[in-house]
Amino acid sequence: MRQLTVHRHVDVAPDVVWSLLVDLDAWPRWGPSVRRAALEGGGELGLGARGHVWTAVGVRLPFEVTSFDPGRSWAWRVAGVPATTHAVRSDGDGCRASMGAPLWAPAYLPVLAAALVRIDRIADRPIQ
């Protein structure tokens, strides 16, 4: 699926950013549109994982992880609709974090850019 993508260099190791991208408890800290998220049956995020995400306005939506490359990237469908992708790559003395939105959702790019700024700010702080 073709997407529009935003990127940001973050001055930490890729595994630090990856841990934020896959930790559902961390999502509200960096995701402006996320209030809460939970996996069905617990466990860890991975290919085929299903759960629910609560939007910033409190709407509960089902999700399913549709692609998952451990330590590198994942994508999902939310309410049955292809949604965002999340990726991290080594970039010299840090990493390049990326998020993508479907071509039909360019208005969501500022939200993704804000998420990357938040990830940059919290990446070197412990998750509380």
Side-chain angles (χ1 to χ4, degrees), residues 16-52:
V16 174
V17 170
W18 178 253
S19 68
L20 292 169
L21 292 176
V22 297
D23 179 356
L24 277 68
D25 291 333
W27 290 3
R29 293 182 64 212
W30 57 259
S33 61
V34 177
R35 179 182 290 173
R36 179 166 89 91
L39 288 174
E40 292 176 0
E44 295 182 358
L45 198 69
L47 184 60
R50 294 174 184 256
H52 290 90

Side-chain angles (χ1 to χ4, degrees), residues 79-100:
V81 177
T84 51
T85 59
H86 312 79
V88 63
R89 304 283 185 270
S90 182
D91 184 16
D93 60 346
C95 65
R96 179 178 171 150
S98 305
M99 293 187 183

Side-chain angles (χ1 to χ4, degrees), residues 38-81:
L39 288 174
E40 292 176 0
E44 295 182 358
L45 198 69
L47 184 60
R50 294 174 184 256
H52 290 90
V53 61
W54 286 257
T55 68
V57 295
V59 177
R60 177 181 176 242
L61 300 170
F63 73 80
E64 179 181 4
V65 176
T66 56
S67 71
F68 194 85
D69 184 1
R72 296 183 56 94
S73 65
W74 67 271
W76 62 345
R77 294 174 72 84
V78 177
V81 177

